[in-house]
DNA sequence: CGTGTAAGGAATTCTGACACG
DNA sequence: CGTGTAAGGAATTCTGACACG
């Protein structure tokens, strides 16, 4: 109950025009939400943006919040909080693993 | 042990240039394999091709076979066979379901 | 058969900027 | 703040065709 792990969901392969079709947002809006650090598309060597399905979902969530009058700055804060939460979870997992390993090593020797 | 069901794998959102990068094939080759009915990209209203991750995987499999000297015509035949097999599986499932439903209905009444 | 390439045109994407409310 | 738009340029994609082995 923590990780999404479809290999396809995170792959950055969708160009901005397709993202526009998928989300109903304008390319202007899509680029602007990037400027506000809400999404982080990859770039090809030539500089064109590539989005993942995950990015598309995030954009739809942003669109919902914007419709409710939430400002990008607020959305940014929520996002940061969510990311910190994930970091803490990872750290906790790492530490539990460390403890378990320590125990096993004690037993084995 | 029958169906692939990631919602993302089948969605046609990748343009031909990205498919080229993903597969290492030339756009000429990618279009040619379509002409030979080995892949079936979608088209946008403007006519540009859109591929799914599934298409990308098929292309990689085609590339492997071509390297082994298999002609597109042969690959086409294999593909047709595989598709017929899937059809039969679906039919069998449908009939089993029908039988089961018939049984349940008998019991219920 | 399978692939490369040049040709011409249409559609896409990019950036930086001005406009508006 | 959030979004539209016109501007200029670069890169993408499309089709039909000729070339080659």
């Amino acid at each position: 109950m923590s990780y999404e792990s479809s290999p396809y969901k995170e792959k950055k392969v969708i160009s901005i025009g397709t993202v526009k079709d998928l989300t109903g947002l304008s390319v202007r809006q899509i680029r602007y939400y990037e400027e506000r650090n809400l999404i982080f598309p990859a770039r090809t060597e030539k500089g064109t943006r590539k989005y993942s399905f995950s990015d598309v979902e995030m954009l739809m969530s942003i669109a919902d919040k914007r419709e409710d009058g939430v400002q990008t700055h607020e959305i940014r804060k929520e996002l940061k909080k969510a990311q910190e939460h994930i970091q803490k979870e990872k750290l906790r997992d790492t530490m539990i693993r460390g403890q378990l390993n320590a125990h096993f090593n004690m037993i084995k020797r």
Side-chain angles (χ1 to χ4, degrees), chain A residues 6-43:
Chain A
S6 168
Y8 309 112
K9 186 169 184 181
E10 306 299 333
K11 210 118 203 272
K12 310 246 179 190
V13 296
I14 311 176
S15 53
I16 198 165
T18 305
V19 173
K20 176 195 63 183
D21 294 342
L22 255 28
T23 61
L25 294 167
S26 69
V27 303
R28 181 66 164 102
Q29 288 174 308
I30 297 167
R31 293 198 191 111
Y32 181 67
Y33 299 148
E34 176 185 359
E35 194 181 313
R36 302 315 309 274
N37 292 304
L38 301 180
I39 46 168
F40 310 93
R43 296 277 182 144

Side-chain angles (χ1 to χ4, degrees), chain A residues 27 49 52 64 66-67 70 79 87 91 105:
Chain A
V27 303
R49 278 168 263 246
S52 65
D64 286 347
R66 286 290 303 123
E67 275 185 36
V70 185
L79 177 59
Q87 278 315 307
L91 181 60
N105 289 339

Side-chain angles (χ1 to χ4, degrees), chain A residues 63-98:
Chain A
D64 286 347
K65 288 173 187 162
R66 286 290 303 123
E67 275 185 36
D68 294 345
V70 185
Q71 293 194 312
T72 58
H73 181 248
E74 290 307 313
I75 302 175
R76 173 67 190 147
K77 285 204 292 190
E78 289 172 34
L79 177 59
K80 229 169 178 168
K81 224 162 221 165
Q83 286 170 343
E84 278 162 17
H85 184 235
I86 287 173
Q87 278 315 307
K88 274 184 197 158
E89 272 185 352
K90 282 190 184 170
L91 181 60
R92 189 204 54 190
D93 281 15
T94 304
M95 299 198 70
I96 287 174
R97 277 175 213 290

Side-chain angles (χ1 to χ4, degrees), chain A residues 39-55:
Chain A
I39 46 168
F40 310 93
R43 296 277 182 144
T44 65
E45 323 81 66
K46 303 291 183 60
T48 83
R49 278 168 263 246
K50 291 297 171 193
Y51 303 83
S52 65
F53 282 109
S54 197
D55 293 326

